[in-house]
Amino acid sequence: MVESSDPTPAPDASALGSGGMRQAVVEQIGDRIRAARQELDLSVGALAELSGVSRRMLTQIELGQANPSVAILDRVAVGLGTTFAALMGIGAHAHPDGVEVWSTDGGSWAVILDAMDAPAVSVETWKWKLLGTDAYEGGSGVPSAGRMIHVIEGALEISTGKGAQVVEAGGSGRVLTDGLYRYRSLHEAGTVFLSVALQPRTAS
């Protein structure tokens, strides 16, 4: 892992890399959020207060009319006392190849492979491929122990408000995800990496 000596600005949330959630995933997660909210006897307004996500956005998510970031869905999940992985049905009975959650027209993708829940935290395993100029930006603002990264192919740049680090193939690194962060490939042929995320299961 190589640390950048020059601090770089935090990623700009308005300049997200091209890409988003697949429509089938958007519709599935909307249905599951609505079902979980109703099971808890929560109104949309009550969930908005618990999650910090606006009522309008929650309504659009439930109707499958929005393409929310994983960061927003992390906040909704915390408001429901669960996790994004649990809402996606990832766990003991998940498909062995995982579920493709995020992709771009340029061929980049992110797959959530598996998740395991403990009383206070969910551990999620993701596999990523970034190609060309595609970048992924995240950061839900939910307190978290962060993510562990292992690069399989290429070289990954991880940028936060505290600077940037580069992880080469075969290397590992860590990133705190309370604030905004960005993944970007520095290798011409693309970068493939694994990330292990530690996500809180209940609202703080």
Side-chain angles (χ1 to χ4, degrees):
M1 180 177 70
V2 178
E3 294 281 354
S4 171
S5 58
D6 297 324
T8 58
D12 180 0
S14 66
L16 296 175
S18 60
M21 301 186 73
R22 295 170 53 233
Q23 185 59 34
V25 174
V26 169
E27 293 173 1
Q28 180 184 59
I29 200 76
D31 289 343
R32 290 184 172 179
I33 286 171
R34 181 172 57 253
R37 176 179 61 76
Q38 292 173 344
E39 185 175 341
L40 293 171
D41 197 25
L42 291 173
S43 66
V44 173
L47 180 55
E49 290 185 12
L50 289 169
S51 65
V53 176
S54 73
R55 293 178 60 175
R56 179 176 180 180
M57 174 60 77
L58 286 171
T59 298
Q60 290 178 332
I61 291 171
E62 289 190 1
L63 294 174
Q65 296 174 350
N67 195 315
S69 67
V70 175
I72 286 177
L73 294 175
D74 279 339
R75 288 162 56 189
V76 175
V78 169
L80 292 168
T82 185
T83 63
F84 171 74
L87 287 173
M88 287 297 302
I90 300 296
H93 304 293
H95 191 283
D97 295 328
V99 176
E100 183 179 294
V101 173
W102 175 87
S103 61
T104 71
D105 293 339
S108 299
W109 46 257
V111 171
I112 182 167
L113 296 172
D114 204 352
M116 182 173 64
D117 292 336
V121 69
S122 176
V123 182
E124 302 172 1
T125 303
W126 292 70
K127 186 173 183 180
W128 300 76
K129 185 171 187 178
L130 292 177
L131 296 171
T133 59
D134 289 344
Y136 175 83
E137 291 192 0
S140 63
V142 175
S144 171
R147 295 173 184 256
M148 296 177 288
I149 306 291
H150 180 75
V151 176
I152 300 170
E153 301 173 8
L156 178 69
E157 179 186 73
I158 308 169
S159 301
T160 68
K162 295 183 178 179
Q165 57 179 306
V166 176
V167 185
E168 304 279 354
S172 299
R174 295 184 181 184
V175 58
L176 291 177
T177 54
D178 290 1
L180 293 175
Y181 63 94
R182 180 193 292 122
Y183 297 148
R184 184 170 69 95
S185 174
L186 296 183
H187 196 273
E188 185 175 332
T191 296
V192 177
F193 63 102
L194 297 173
S195 72
V196 176
L198 304 178
Q199 296 294 116
R201 282 180 52 78
T202 57
S204 56

